[in-house]
């Protein structure tokens, strides 16, 4: 039904396009030559009460806005005129600055409306995407299940620590670089746009902080010199057995990006990694949600032509050819995921987590295992089990933030292959955390942990950082489990303000220093799933330990103590490796609404 499609498409284009942006107060300006229908529409919007932004959008307002848009634009079939009206809604509702509103609607217009033309979502489902399950249900094709082989699950043996002196692998982990090519020292670090510290950043008259040389504590990304400095430091800190790199290369200026710019940034950072780490270190990349433009736009493989992601995957395959086998490059070109044997007894799987992301609007067409990725994963894991191999999984978005059906299927797969999957590594949230996996029968026996490493970028108000994992090494009977990990940061306060001979200025060669080592910070003898489960219990019993975690969660940046609802929602997230699993949170007193709000905050990356 065309009116529904275009009304919903317009509504989504307004709101979903801003799911990665913060809300700010803007100034409304009329669009020249408004049609009579357009004027009636704007008047109706005004009556809803201005001042709404993404963070305070309510369910009732969401559905009311959909109805108004649908009625007002039901007969509007010109995509350019639809986008113009959507931009005006964005401006009138103060969702963003006027320039951002107009650019992002133009950027999203073609792909988004194309996806909506093939979708059958209703208002409650649309609002469920934006605001969570309390407002509506999005998985319109759910529940769906992957098929597991009719092979009995092998008996489970609890892991044992390796013998003293056993080999260890040292794995460098990089995620969320977010290089901003327009970063400018001295520009405004406090601006009205979603991303600051840029030449065009306008500062409010009552506040003006200048962007620092190496980076800034604000809603700013990094200059290339900081990325390069990090790579120089990690090269000196080697040797590395391998590198896991889980994406998000471009900056957060998602309203003004082109394919050419995205590819140039992909090529630039890839070649810097190759330059500093050298040809002897293999890097295993994963695709982030910011690699595409429009952001989060990852059509499944059945979408062909100019709308497909081949422009991105083909360049990745060319640039990552030194690291990956022809077989891995083939599936990378197909849909952005691959598998590779790292060493005898250990295999890596790199997942394209954009096929589970709520923000990927192409999933409105069909969210049932897009690209058959999970079914492919089952096949890889079964073959690994048959061979006695262990498997590490890397990806960008943590599985607990995925669409419910995808997340629950993934959880089910990890349960079945718990003796095979001995490492899961993700990024995306920019902070330092983890998520637990328990047996599906009782949800009490810990069997897996997804490590979520902090970002390289400062966005938002963070020190730049990277992670090092120490993994049980290559020898007969190795578990290939994570034994310990370290987090390193660049202290921007010191790096930007070094005093020499009475003159203060940026340190020309700042050092990235150890923030903490997990085993020492938390008193853990190992980092097995049972240890992390025990640490969560300690958080509940000893608030001092939890507040230490909260400081490290922000990469050492001072923050207010996390108390009451903040603490329980955080612990709920740590325990919930699958989305919308209330059983892990009920005893903590966390409501579904509170958890949905906390998860929505994590998807703004």
């Amino acid at each position: 039904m065309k009116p529904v499609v275009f009304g919903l498409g317009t509504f989504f284009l307004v709101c979903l396009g801003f799911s990665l942006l913060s809300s700010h107060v803007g100034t409304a300006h009329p669009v020249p030559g408004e049609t009579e229908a357009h004027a009636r529409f704007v008047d109706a919007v005004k009556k809803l009460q201005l001042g709404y932004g993404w963070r305070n959008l309510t369910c009732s307002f969401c559905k009311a806005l959909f109805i108004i848009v649908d009625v007002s634009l039901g007969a509007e079939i010109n995509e350019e005129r639809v986008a113009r009206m959507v931009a005006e809604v964005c401006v009138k509702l103060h969702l963003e600055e006027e320039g951002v509103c107009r650019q992002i609607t133009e950027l999203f217009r073609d792909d988004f409306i194309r996806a909506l033309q093939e979708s059958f979502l209703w208002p409650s489902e649309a609002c469920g995407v934006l605001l969570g399950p309390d407002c509506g249900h999005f998985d319109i094709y759910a529940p769906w299940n992957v098929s597991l082989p009719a092979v009995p699950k092998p008996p489970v043996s609890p892991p044992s620590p390796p013998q003293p002196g056993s080999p260890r692998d040292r794995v460098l982990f990089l995620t969320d670089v977010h290089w901003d090519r327009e970063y400018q020292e001295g520009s405004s670090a406090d601006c009205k746009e979603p991303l600051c510290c840029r030449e065009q950043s306008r500062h409010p008259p009552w506040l003006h902080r200048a962007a620092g040389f190496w980076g800034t504590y604000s809603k700013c990304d990094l200059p290339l010199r900081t990325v390069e400095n990090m790579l120089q430091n990690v090269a000196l800190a080697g040797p590395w057995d391998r590198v896991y790199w889980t994406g998000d290369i471009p900056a957060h200026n998602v309203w003004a990006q082109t394919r050419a710019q995205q590819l140039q940034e992909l090529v630039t950072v890839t070649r810097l990694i190759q330059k500093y780490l050298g040809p002897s270190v293999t890097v295993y990349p994963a695709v982030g949600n910011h690699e595409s433009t429009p952001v989060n736009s990852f059509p499944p493989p059945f979408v062909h032509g100019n709308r497909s992601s081949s422009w991105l995957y083909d360049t990745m395959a060319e640039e990552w050819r030194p690291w990956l086998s022809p077989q891995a490059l083939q599936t990378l070109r197909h849909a952005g995921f691959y598998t590779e044997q790292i060493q005898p007894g250990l295999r890596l799987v790199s997942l394209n987590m954009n096929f589970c992301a709520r923000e990927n609007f192409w999933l409105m067409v069909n969210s049932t295992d897009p690209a058959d990725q999970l079914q492919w994963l089952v096949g890889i894991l079964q073959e690994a089990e048959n061979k006695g191999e262990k498997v590490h999984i890397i990806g960008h978005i943590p599985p607990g933030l995925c669409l419910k059906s995808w997340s629950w299927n993934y959880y089910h797969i990890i349960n079945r292959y718990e003796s095979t999957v001995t490492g899961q590594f993700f990024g995306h949230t920019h902070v330092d955390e983890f998520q637990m996996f328990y047996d599906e029968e009782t949800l009490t026996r810990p069997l897996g942990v997804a490590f979520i490493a902090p970002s390289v970028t400062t966005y938002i108000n963070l020190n730049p950082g990277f992670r090092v994992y120490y993994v049980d090494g290559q020898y007969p009977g190795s578990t290939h489990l994570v034994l310990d990990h370290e987090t390193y940061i660049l202290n921007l306060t010191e790096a930007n303000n070094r005093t020499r001979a009475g003159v203060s200025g940026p340190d020309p060669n700042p050092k990235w220093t150890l923030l903490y080592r997990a085993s020492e910070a938390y008193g853990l003898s190992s980092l097995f799933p049972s240890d992390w489960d025990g640490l969560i219990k300690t958080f509940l019993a000893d608030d001092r330990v939890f507040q230490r975690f909260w400081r490290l969660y922000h990469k050492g940046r001072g923050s207010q103590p996390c108390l009451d609802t903040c603490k329980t929602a955080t612990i709920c997230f740590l325990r919930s490796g699958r989305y919308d699993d209330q059983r892990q949170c009920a005893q903590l007193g966390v409501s579904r609404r509170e958890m949905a709000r906390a998860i929505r905050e994590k998807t703004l990356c």
Side-chain angles (χ1 to χ4, degrees), residues 179-244:
W179 158 40
D180 186 1
R181 64 169 68 212
E182 297 182 36
Y183 185 99
Q184 185 174 86
E185 181 188 10
S187 62
S188 176
D190 304 288
C191 67
K192 296 181 179 181
E193 293 78 25
L195 184 64
C196 301
C197 300
R198 321 180 88 216
E199 181 179 4
Q200 67 272 31
S201 296
R202 294 177 296 166
H203 62 85
W206 62 87
L207 182 65
H208 177 51
R209 291 183 300 135
F213 183 81
W214 291 109
T216 306
Y217 298 130
S218 188
K219 51 178 182 176
C220 304
D221 284 318
L222 291 178
L224 189 60
R225 58 178 165 267
T226 308
V227 178
E228 194 162 5
N229 178 264
M230 177 201 67
L231 292 173
Q232 291 169 343
N233 275 266
V234 298
L236 294 173
W240 304 102
D241 290 287
R242 57 188 176 274
V243 180
Y244 295 163

Side-chain angles (χ1 to χ4, degrees), residues 288-316:
N289 64 300
H290 275 262
E291 266 70 90
S292 185
T293 185
V295 66
N296 300 313
S297 176
F298 288 86
F302 60 74
V303 176
H304 301 289
N306 190 50
R307 293 281 177 267
S308 75
S309 292
S310 60
W311 65 274
L312 178 62
Y313 299 150
D314 287 348
T315 301
M316 287 176 170

Side-chain angles (χ1 to χ4, degrees), residues 399-579:
L401 295 179
C402 292
L403 285 167
K404 181 175 179 178
S405 289
W406 201 101
S407 180
W408 283 56
N409 273 286
Y410 180 86
Y411 202 96
H412 187 53
I413 292 170
I414 297 300
N415 262 258
R416 167 58 183 84
Y417 295 100
E418 63 171 291
S419 299
T420 298
V421 179
T422 58
Q424 302 176 68
F425 308 90
F426 300 92
H428 183 63
T429 69
H430 294 196
V431 291
D432 188 343
E433 53 190 339
F434 59 92
Q435 283 195 301
M436 294 298 302
F437 290 70
Y438 296 91
D439 69 292
E440 291 180 301
E441 291 76 19
T442 68
L443 291 181
T444 58
R445 181 177 65 84
L447 56 83
V449 57
F451 294 96
I452 305 173
S455 61
V456 175
T457 187
T458 55
Y459 192 91
I460 299 176
N461 296 320
L462 300 168
N463 283 306
F466 66 86
R467 168 66 54 80
V468 179
Y469 289 102
Y470 293 89
V471 179
D472 199 7
Q474 184 182 3
Y475 62 90
S478 172
T479 64
H480 296 286
L481 286 162
V482 173
L483 304 177
D484 209 345
H485 69 60
E486 298 171 338
T487 296
Y488 290 79
I489 62 166
L490 178 65
N491 187 314
L492 286 179
T493 302
E494 299 174 359
N496 286 331
N497 300 283
R498 177 183 175 185
T499 301
R500 293 168 295 173
V503 179
S504 180
D507 187 338
N509 187 27
K511 301 301 180 184
W512 296 63
T513 57
L514 175 66
L515 176 64
Y516 80 102
R517 181 175 294 111
S519 60
E520 295 177 358
Y522 300 124
L524 303 176
S525 58
S526 60
L527 267 60
F528 297 162
S530 58
D531 297 299
W532 291 106
D533 178 61
L535 181 61
I536 293 175
K537 292 182 172 67
T538 301
F539 288 164
L540 292 169
D542 189 341
D543 188 62
R544 292 174 301 173
V545 179
F546 177 79
Q547 298 305 331
R548 183 186 310 146
F549 165 81
W550 188 244
R551 176 179 171 274
L552 299 175
Y553 174 99
H554 291 99
K555 287 187 280 185
R557 281 282 289 155
S559 61
Q560 295 295 323
C562 179
L563 306 170
D564 304 324
T565 301
C566 169
K567 179 176 179 178
T568 54
T570 299
I571 293 176
C572 171
F573 179 81
L574 300 180
R575 295 180 64 177
S576 304
R578 60 185 179 188
Y579 179 76

Side-chain angles (χ1 to χ4, degrees), residues 70-212:
D70 187 53
V71 171
S72 302
L73 302 183
E76 184 63 69
I77 59 174
N78 182 282
E79 292 182 6
E80 183 177 351
R81 294 169 67 189
V82 169
R84 190 182 69 210
M85 289 187 175
V86 169
E88 188 69 5
V89 175
C90 172
V91 172
K92 295 294 184 183
L93 294 182
H94 303 289
L95 292 177
E96 272 303 341
E97 287 290 284
E98 180 181 3
V100 175
C101 285
R102 303 202 187 285
Q103 283 182 277
I104 199 168
T105 51
E106 183 66 23
L107 178 62
F108 272 72
R109 183 188 74 190
D110 294 342
D111 282 13
F112 204 91
I113 290 180
R114 166 71 183 277
L116 264 297
Q117 284 174 321
E118 300 181 25
S119 174
F120 298 95
L121 286 179
W122 293 94
S124 61
E125 294 161 348
C127 296
V129 173
L130 298 169
L131 303 179
D134 278 359
C135 191
H137 184 58
F138 172 54
D139 280 346
I140 54 176
Y141 297 95
W144 52 270
N145 296 298
V146 296
S147 300
L148 297 180
V151 179
K153 179 178 177 179
V156 176
S157 300
S160 300
Q163 294 296 319
S166 297
R168 284 187 172 193
D169 286 345
R170 196 160 174 259
V171 181
L172 173 64
F173 189 90
L174 304 174
T175 190
D176 297 277
V177 172
H178 291 294
W179 158 40
D180 186 1
R181 64 169 68 212
E182 297 182 36
Y183 185 99
Q184 185 174 86
E185 181 188 10
S187 62
S188 176
D190 304 288
C191 67
K192 296 181 179 181
E193 293 78 25
L195 184 64
C196 301
C197 300
R198 321 180 88 216
E199 181 179 4
Q200 67 272 31
S201 296
R202 294 177 296 166
H203 62 85
W206 62 87
L207 182 65
H208 177 51
R209 291 183 300 135

Side-chain angles (χ1 to χ4, degrees), residues 334-351:
H334 173 67
F337 55 81
Y338 64 88
T339 184
E340 196 78 273
Q341 184 163 3
I342 293 177
Q343 57 190 224
L346 179 61
R347 174 167 295 279
L348 177 123
V349 170
S350 177
L351 294 178

